[in-house]
Amino acid sequence: MDEQRAVIETPVGPVGLRTREGAVVEVWFARGEALCAPTGALAAQAARQVEEYFRGERREFDLPLSRPETATDFQHRLWDALERIPFGRTRTYGEVARELGTSPRAVGGACARNLLPLVIPCHRVVAKKGLGGFSGDWENGLAVDVKAVLLAHEARVSGPGVGG
């Protein structure tokens, strides 16, 4: 099944990457997992791009992605909308919901089920007042701390006057 993986150290802790059949199929925040060198060329490419992102050298990922076969049309439309949010910018759940003709709650739920966080930037969707949730809010809200770090990183790399 040509599966490759890597678990690399980043400023937000270990990040796991899994590829299958020539595409990245999963990115996860791998707290508590042992680091793992890339087991193939695509996993190495994905790891390198994540490292470049955290060094401030990359604003967009250029990787072949595979979304889950079980994803709904709505999830695909949402993920497409997330990919259009520029580096260093945010949109509210309400803004994204209006664009897609749905509710903010539906947007939040689909963001929480994103298997490619960071690469499909669900962290750029925030609440009207505050950060909102992130990637399932694992470990008692620790994910929200990761979201805050990612947004601060992008704001710092983008420079003054960029945001929102």
Side-chain angles (χ1 to χ4, degrees), residues 34-102:
L35 299 180
C36 167
T39 60
L42 183 54
Q45 178 185 5
R48 188 171 40 259
Q49 288 192 23
V50 169
E51 290 166 344
E52 290 168 354
Y53 168 86
F54 280 109
R55 286 194 308 261
E57 300 167 358
R58 175 172 294 277
R59 293 174 181 226
E60 295 179 14
F61 291 91
D62 182 23
L63 296 165
L65 305 178
S66 179
R67 298 172 179 177
E69 291 179 15
T70 58
T72 65
D73 177 60
F74 171 71
Q75 287 171 314
H76 285 290
R77 289 188 310 115
L78 171 69
W79 295 331
D80 290 343
L82 296 177
E83 289 179 308
R84 289 191 299 269
I85 302 172
F87 181 94
R89 303 238 179 210
T90 60
R91 300 289 181 269
T92 66
Y93 293 100
E95 289 170 332
V96 175
R98 279 189 296 283
E99 177 184 337
L100 299 177
T102 191

Coordinates of all heavy atoms in Angstrom, one line a residue, residues 34-102:
A34 N 7.0 9.2 19.5 CA 8.5 9.3 19.2 C 8.7 9.9 17.8 O 7.9 9.7 16.9 CB 9.1 7.9 19.2
L35 N 9.7 10.6 17.6 CA 10.1 11.2 16.3 C 10.4 10.0 15.4 O 10.9 9.0 15.8 CB 11.3 12.1 16.4 CG 11.1 13.4 17.3 CD1 12.3 14.2 17.3 CD2 9.8 14.2 16.9
C36 N 10.2 10.2 14.1 CA 10.4 9.1 13.1 C 10.9 9.8 11.8 O 10.2 10.7 11.3 CB 9.1 8.4 12.9 SG 9.1 7.3 11.4
A37 N 12.1 9.5 11.4 CA 12.6 10.0 10.2 C 11.7 9.6 9.0 O 11.1 8.5 9.0 CB 14.0 9.5 9.9
P38 N 11.6 10.4 8.0 CA 10.8 10.1 6.8 C 11.2 8.7 6.3 O 12.3 8.4 6.1 CB 11.1 11.2 5.8 CG 11.5 12.4 6.7 CD 12.3 11.7 7.8
T39 N 10.1 7.9 5.9 CA 10.4 6.6 5.4 C 10.3 6.5 3.9 O 10.2 5.4 3.4 CB 9.4 5.6 6.1 OG1 8.0 6.0 5.7 CG2 9.5 5.5 7.6
G40 N 10.2 7.6 3.2 CA 10.2 7.7 1.8 C 10.3 9.1 1.3 O 10.3 10.0 2.0
A41 N 10.4 9.2 -0.1 CA 10.6 10.5 -0.7 C 9.5 11.5 -0.4 O 9.8 12.7 -0.1 CB 10.9 10.3 -2.2
L42 N 8.3 11.1 -0.6 CA 7.1 12.0 -0.4 C 7.0 12.4 1.1 O 6.8 13.6 1.4 CB 5.8 11.4 -0.9 CG 4.6 12.3 -0.8 CD1 4.9 13.7 -1.4 CD2 3.4 11.6 -1.3
A43 N 7.2 11.5 2.0 CA 7.2 11.9 3.4 C 8.4 12.9 3.7 O 8.2 13.8 4.5 CB 7.3 10.6 4.3
A44 N 9.5 12.7 3.1 CA 10.6 13.6 3.3 C 10.3 15.0 2.7 O 10.6 16.0 3.3 CB 11.9 13.0 2.6
Q45 N 9.6 15.0 1.5 CA 9.2 16.3 0.9 C 8.2 17.0 1.8 O 8.3 18.2 2.1 CB 8.6 16.0 -0.4 CG 8.1 17.3 -1.1 CD 7.4 17.0 -2.5 OE1 7.2 15.8 -2.8 NE2 7.0 18.0 -3.2
A46 N 7.2 16.3 2.4 CA 6.3 16.9 3.3 C 6.9 17.4 4.5 O 6.6 18.5 5.0 CB 5.2 15.9 3.6
A47 N 7.8 16.6 5.1 CA 8.5 17.0 6.3 C 9.3 18.3 6.0 O 9.3 19.3 6.8 CB 9.4 15.9 6.8
R48 N 10.0 18.3 4.9 CA 10.8 19.5 4.5 C 9.9 20.7 4.4 O 10.3 21.8 4.9 CB 11.6 19.2 3.2 CG 12.6 20.2 2.8 CD 13.5 19.8 1.6 NE 12.8 19.1 0.6 CZ 12.8 17.8 0.4 NH1 13.5 17.0 1.2 NH2 12.1 17.2 -0.6
Q49 N 8.8 20.6 3.8 CA 7.9 21.7 3.6 C 7.3 22.2 4.9 O 7.2 23.4 5.2 CB 6.8 21.4 2.6 CG 7.3 21.3 1.2 CD 6.2 21.3 0.2 OE1 5.0 21.7 0.4 NE2 6.5 20.8 -1.0
V50 N 7.0 21.3 5.9 CA 6.6 21.7 7.2 C 7.7 22.5 7.9 O 7.5 23.5 8.5 CB 6.1 20.5 8.0 CG1 5.8 20.9 9.5 CG2 4.8 20.0 7.4
E51 N 8.9 22.0 7.8 CA 10.1 22.7 8.4 C 10.3 24.0 7.8 O 10.5 25.0 8.5 CB 11.3 21.8 8.3 CG 11.3 20.6 9.1 CD 12.3 19.5 8.8 OE1 12.9 19.6 7.7 OE2 12.5 18.6 9.6
E52 N 10.1 24.2 6.5 CA 10.2 25.5 5.8 C 9.1 26.4 6.3 O 9.4 27.6 6.5 CB 10.2 25.3 4.3 CG 11.4 24.6 3.7 CD 11.2 24.2 2.3 OE1 10.0 24.3 1.7 OE2 12.2 23.7 1.7
Y53 N 7.9 25.9 6.5 CA 6.8 26.7 7.0 C 7.2 27.3 8.3 O 7.1 28.5 8.6 CB 5.6 25.9 7.1 CG 4.5 26.5 7.9 CD1 3.6 27.4 7.3 CD2 4.3 26.3 9.3 CE1 2.5 28.0 8.0 CE2 3.3 26.9 10.0 CZ 2.4 27.8 9.4 OH 1.4 28.4 10.1
F54 N 7.7 26.5 9.2 CA 8.0 27.0 10.6 C 9.3 27.9 10.6 O 9.4 28.7 11.5 CB 8.2 25.8 11.6 CG 6.9 25.3 12.0 CD1 6.4 24.1 11.6 CD2 6.1 26.1 12.9 CE1 5.1 23.6 12.1 CE2 4.8 25.6 13.3 CZ 4.4 24.4 12.9
R55 N 10.1 27.8 9.6 CA 11.3 28.7 9.5 C 10.9 30.0 8.9 O 11.7 30.9 8.7 CB 12.4 28.0 8.7 CG 13.2 27.0 9.5 CD 14.5 26.6 8.8 NE 14.4 26.3 7.4 CZ 14.3 25.0 6.9 NH1 14.4 24.0 7.7 NH2 14.2 24.8 5.6
G56 N 9.7 30.1 8.4 CA 9.2 31.3 7.7 C 9.6 31.4 6.3 O 9.5 32.5 5.7
E57 N 10.0 30.3 5.7 CA 10.4 30.3 4.3 C 9.3 29.8 3.4 O 9.5 29.9 2.1 CB 11.6 29.3 4.2 CG 12.8 29.7 5.0 CD 13.9 28.6 5.1 OE1 13.7 27.5 4.6 OE2 14.9 28.9 5.8
R58 N 8.2 29.3 3.9 CA 7.2 28.8 3.0 C 5.8 29.3 3.6 O 5.5 29.2 4.7 CB 7.2 27.2 3.1 CG 6.0 26.6 2.3 CD 6.1 25.1 2.2 NE 7.3 24.8 1.4 CZ 7.2 24.7 0.0 NH1 6.1 25.1 -0.6 NH2 8.3 24.4 -0.7
R59 N 5.0 29.8 2.6 CA 3.7 30.3 3.0 C 2.6 29.4 2.5 O 1.5 29.5 2.9 CB 3.5 31.7 2.5 CG 4.4 32.7 3.2 CD 4.3 34.0 2.6 NE 5.2 34.9 3.3 CZ 4.9 36.1 3.7 NH1 3.7 36.6 3.5 NH2 5.8 36.9 4.3
E60 N 2.9 28.6 1.5 CA 1.9 27.7 0.9 C 2.6 26.3 0.7 O 3.8 26.2 0.4 CB 1.5 28.2 -0.5 CG 0.7 29.5 -0.5 CD 0.3 29.9 -1.9 OE1 0.4 29.1 -2.8 OE2 -0.1 31.1 -2.0
F61 N 1.8 25.3 0.9 CA 2.3 23.9 0.7 C 2.1 23.5 -0.7 O 1.1 23.8 -1.3 CB 1.6 23.0 1.7 CG 2.0 23.2 3.1 CD1 1.3 24.1 3.9 CD2 3.2 22.6 3.6 CE1 1.7 24.3 5.2 CE2 3.6 22.9 4.9 CZ 2.8 23.7 5.7
D62 N 3.0 22.8 -1.3 CA 3.0 22.3 -2.6 C 3.2 20.8 -2.6 O 4.2 20.3 -2.8 CB 4.1 23.0 -3.5 CG 4.0 22.5 -4.9 OD1 2.9 22.1 -5.4 OD2 5.1 22.6 -5.6
L63 N 2.1 20.1 -2.1 CA 2.1 18.7 -1.9 C 0.9 18.0 -2.6 O -0.2 18.6 -2.5 CB 2.1 18.3 -0.4 CG 3.3 18.8 0.4 CD1 3.0 18.7 1.9 CD2 4.5 18.0 0.0
P64 N 1.0 16.9 -3.1 CA -0.2 16.1 -3.6 C -0.9 15.7 -2.3 O -0.4 15.1 -1.4 CB 0.4 14.9 -4.3 CG 1.8 14.7 -3.8 CD 2.3 16.1 -3.3
L65 N -2.2 16.1 -2.3 CA -3.1 15.7 -1.1 C -4.1 14.8 -1.5 O -4.7 14.8 -2.6 CB -3.7 17.0 -0.6 CG -2.8 18.1 -0.2 CD1 -3.6 19.3 0.3 CD2 -1.8 17.7 0.9
S66 N -4.5 13.9 -0.6 CA -5.6 13.0 -0.8 C -6.6 13.2 0.3 O -6.3 12.9 1.5 CB -5.2 11.5 -0.9 OG -6.3 10.7 -1.0
R67 N -7.8 13.7 0.0 CA -8.8 13.9 1.0 C -9.5 12.5 1.2 O -9.6 11.7 0.3 CB -9.8 14.9 0.6 CG -9.1 16.3 0.4 CD -10.0 17.3 -0.2 NE -9.4 18.6 -0.3 CZ -10.0 19.6 -0.9 NH1 -11.2 19.5 -1.4 NH2 -9.4 20.8 -1.0
P68 N -10.1 12.3 2.3 CA -10.8 11.0 2.6 C -11.9 10.7 1.6 O -12.6 11.6 1.2 CB -11.4 11.2 4.0 CG -10.7 12.4 4.6 CD -10.2 13.2 3.5
E69 N -12.0 9.5 1.2 CA -13.0 9.1 0.2 C -14.4 9.3 0.8 O -15.4 9.5 0.1 CB -12.8 7.6 -0.2 CG -11.6 7.4 -1.0 CD -11.4 5.9 -1.4 OE1 -12.4 5.1 -1.2 OE2 -10.3 5.6 -1.8
T70 N -14.5 9.3 2.1 CA -15.8 9.4 2.8 C -16.2 10.9 3.0 O -17.3 11.2 3.5 CB -15.7 8.7 4.2 OG1 -14.7 9.3 4.9 CG2 -15.5 7.2 4.0
A71 N -15.4 11.8 2.5 CA -15.7 13.2 2.7 C -16.9 13.6 1.9 O -17.1 13.1 0.8 CB -14.5 14.1 2.3
T72 N -17.7 14.5 2.5 CA -18.9 14.9 1.8 C -18.6 16.1 0.9 O -17.5 16.7 0.9 CB -19.9 15.4 2.9 OG1 -19.4 16.6 3.5 CG2 -20.3 14.4 3.9
D73 N -19.6 16.4 0.0 CA -19.4 17.6 -0.9 C -19.1 18.8 0.0 O -18.3 19.6 -0.4 CB -20.6 17.7 -1.7 CG -20.6 19.0 -2.6 OD1 -19.6 19.0 -3.5 OD2 -21.4 19.9 -2.5
F74 N -19.9 19.0 1.1 CA -19.7 20.1 1.9 C -18.3 20.2 2.5 O -17.6 21.3 2.5 CB -20.7 20.1 3.1 CG -20.4 21.2 4.1 CD1 -20.6 22.5 3.8 CD2 -19.9 20.8 5.4 CE1 -20.3 23.5 4.8 CE2 -19.5 21.8 6.3 CZ -19.8 23.2 6.0
Q75 N -17.7 19.1 2.9 CA -16.4 19.1 3.4 C -15.4 19.5 2.3 O -14.5 20.3 2.6 CB -16.0 17.7 4.0 CG -16.7 17.4 5.3 CD -16.5 16.0 5.8 OE1 -16.6 15.1 5.0 NE2 -16.2 15.8 7.0
H76 N -15.5 19.0 1.1 CA -14.7 19.4 0.0 C -14.8 20.9 -0.2 O -13.7 21.6 -0.4 CB -15.0 18.6 -1.2 CG -14.5 17.2 -1.2 ND1 -13.2 16.9 -1.3 CD2 -15.2 16.0 -1.1 CE1 -13.1 15.5 -1.3 NE2 -14.3 15.0 -1.1
R77 N -16.0 21.4 -0.3 CA -16.2 22.9 -0.5 C -15.5 23.7 0.6 O -14.9 24.7 0.4 CB -17.6 23.2 -0.6 CG -18.2 22.7 -1.9 CD -19.7 23.2 -2.2 NE -20.6 23.0 -1.1 CZ -21.2 24.0 -0.4 NH1 -21.0 25.2 -0.8 NH2 -22.0 23.7 0.6
L78 N -15.7 23.2 1.9 CA -15.0 23.9 3.0 C -13.5 23.9 2.9 O -12.9 24.9 3.0 CB -15.5 23.3 4.3 CG -14.7 23.9 5.5 CD1 -15.0 25.3 5.8 CD2 -14.8 23.0 6.8
W79 N -13.0 22.7 2.6 CA -11.5 22.6 2.5 C -11.0 23.5 1.4 O -9.9 24.1 1.5 CB -11.1 21.2 2.4 CG -11.4 20.4 3.6 CD1 -11.5 20.8 4.9 CD2 -11.7 19.0 3.6 NE1 -11.8 19.8 5.7 CE2 -12.0 18.6 5.0 CE3 -11.8 18.0 2.7 CZ2 -12.3 17.4 5.4 CZ3 -12.1 16.7 3.1 CH2 -12.4 16.4 4.4
D80 N -11.7 23.6 0.3 CA -11.3 24.5 -0.8 C -11.3 25.9 -0.3 O -10.4 26.7 -0.6 CB -12.3 24.3 -2.0 CG -12.1 23.0 -2.8 OD1 -11.1 22.3 -2.6 OD2 -13.1 22.7 -3.5
A81 N -12.3 26.3 0.4 CA -12.4 27.6 1.0 C -11.3 27.9 2.0 O -10.7 29.0 1.9 CB -13.8 27.9 1.7
L82 N -10.9 26.9 2.8 CA -9.8 27.1 3.7 C -8.5 27.3 2.9 O -7.7 28.2 3.4 CB -9.6 25.9 4.6 CG -10.8 25.6 5.5 CD1 -10.5 24.3 6.3 CD2 -11.1 26.7 6.5
E83 N -8.3 26.6 1.9 CA -7.1 26.8 1.1 C -7.0 28.2 0.4 O -5.9 28.6 0.1 CB -7.0 25.7 0.0 CG -6.7 24.3 0.6 CD -6.6 23.2 -0.4 OE1 -7.5 23.1 -1.2 OE2 -5.6 22.5 -0.3
R84 N -8.1 28.9 0.3 CA -8.1 30.2 -0.3 C -7.8 31.3 0.8 O -7.6 32.5 0.4 CB -9.4 30.5 -1.0 CG -9.6 29.7 -2.2 CD -10.8 30.2 -3.0 NE -12.1 30.1 -2.3 CZ -12.9 29.0 -2.3 NH1 -12.6 28.0 -3.0 NH2 -14.1 29.0 -1.7
I85 N -7.8 31.0 2.0 CA -7.4 32.0 3.1 C -5.9 32.2 3.0 O -5.2 31.3 3.3 CB -7.9 31.5 4.5 CG1 -9.4 31.2 4.5 CG2 -7.5 32.6 5.5 CD1 -9.9 30.6 5.8
P86 N -5.5 33.4 2.7 CA -4.1 33.6 2.6 C -3.3 33.5 3.9 O -3.8 33.7 5.0 CB -4.0 35.1 2.1 CG -5.3 35.4 1.6 CD -6.3 34.6 2.4
F87 N -2.0 33.1 3.7 CA -1.1 33.0 4.9 C -1.1 34.3 5.6 O -1.1 35.4 5.0 CB 0.3 32.8 4.3 CG 1.4 32.7 5.3 CD1 1.8 31.4 5.8 CD2 2.0 33.8 5.8 CE1 2.8 31.3 6.7 CE2 3.0 33.7 6.7 CZ 3.4 32.4 7.2
G88 N -1.2 34.3 6.9 CA -1.2 35.5 7.8 C -2.5 36.1 7.9 O -2.6 37.2 8.6
R89 N -3.6 35.6 7.3 CA -4.9 36.2 7.4 C -5.8 35.2 8.1 O -5.6 34.0 8.2 CB -5.4 36.5 6.0 CG -4.5 37.4 5.2 CD -5.3 38.6 4.8 NE -4.4 39.4 4.0 CZ -4.5 40.7 4.0 NH1 -5.5 41.3 4.7 NH2 -3.7 41.5 3.4
T90 N -7.0 35.7 8.6 CA -8.0 34.9 9.2 C -9.3 35.2 8.6 O -9.5 36.3 8.1 CB -8.0 35.0 10.7 OG1 -8.3 36.4 11.0 CG2 -6.7 34.6 11.4
R91 N -10.3 34.3 8.8 CA -11.7 34.5 8.5 C -12.4 34.0 9.7 O -12.0 33.0 10.4 CB -12.1 33.7 7.2 CG -11.4 34.1 6.0 CD -11.9 35.5 5.5 NE -11.2 35.9 4.3 CZ -10.0 36.5 4.2 NH1 -9.4 36.9 5.2 NH2 -9.5 36.8 3.0
T92 N -13.6 34.5 10.0 CA -14.4 34.0 11.1 C -15.2 32.8 10.6 O -15.4 32.6 9.4 CB -15.4 35.0 11.7 OG1 -16.3 35.4 10.7 CG2 -14.6 36.3 12.1
Y93 N -15.7 32.0 11.5 CA -16.6 30.9 11.2 C -17.8 31.4 10.4 O -18.2 30.8 9.4 CB -17.0 30.1 12.4 CG -15.9 29.4 13.1 CD1 -15.3 29.9 14.2 CD2 -15.4 28.2 12.6 CE1 -14.2 29.2 14.9 CE2 -14.4 27.5 13.3 CZ -13.8 28.0 14.4 OH -12.8 27.4 15.0
G94 N -18.3 32.6 10.9 CA -19.5 33.2 10.2 C -19.2 33.6 8.8 O -20.0 33.4 7.9
E95 N -18.0 34.2 8.5 CA -17.7 34.6 7.2 C -17.6 33.4 6.2 O -18.1 33.4 5.1 CB -16.3 35.4 7.2 CG -16.4 36.7 7.8 CD -15.0 37.4 8.0 OE1 -14.0 36.7 8.2 OE2 -15.0 38.6 8.0
V96 N -16.9 32.4 6.7 CA -16.8 31.2 5.9 C -18.2 30.5 5.7 O -18.5 30.1 4.6 CB -15.8 30.2 6.5 CG1 -15.8 28.9 5.7 CG2 -14.4 30.8 6.6
A97 N -19.0 30.5 6.7 CA -20.3 30.0 6.6 C -21.2 30.7 5.6 O -21.9 30.1 4.8 CB -21.0 30.0 8.0
R98 N -21.1 32.1 5.6 CA -21.8 32.8 4.6 C -21.4 32.5 3.2 O -22.2 32.4 2.3 CB -21.7 34.3 4.9 CG -22.6 34.8 6.0 CD -22.7 36.3 6.1 NE -21.4 36.9 6.5 CZ -20.9 36.9 7.8 NH1 -21.6 36.3 8.8 NH2 -19.8 37.5 8.1
E99 N -20.0 32.4 3.0 CA -19.5 32.0 1.7 C -20.0 30.7 1.2 O -20.3 30.6 0.0 CB -18.0 32.0 1.8 CG -17.3 31.6 0.5 CD -15.8 31.4 0.6 OE1 -15.2 32.0 1.5 OE2 -15.2 30.7 -0.2
L100 N -20.2 29.8 2.1 CA -20.7 28.4 1.7 C -22.2 28.2 1.9 O -22.6 27.1 1.5 CB -19.9 27.4 2.6 CG -18.4 27.4 2.4 CD1 -17.8 26.4 3.3 CD2 -18.0 27.1 1.0
G101 N -22.9 29.2 2.4 CA -24.3 29.1 2.5 C -24.7 28.1 3.6 O -25.6 27.3 3.4
T102 N -24.0 28.1 4.7 CA -24.3 27.2 5.8 C -24.1 27.9 7.2 O -24.1 29.1 7.2 CB -23.3 26.0 5.7 OG1 -23.7 25.0 6.6 CG2 -21.8 26.4 6.0

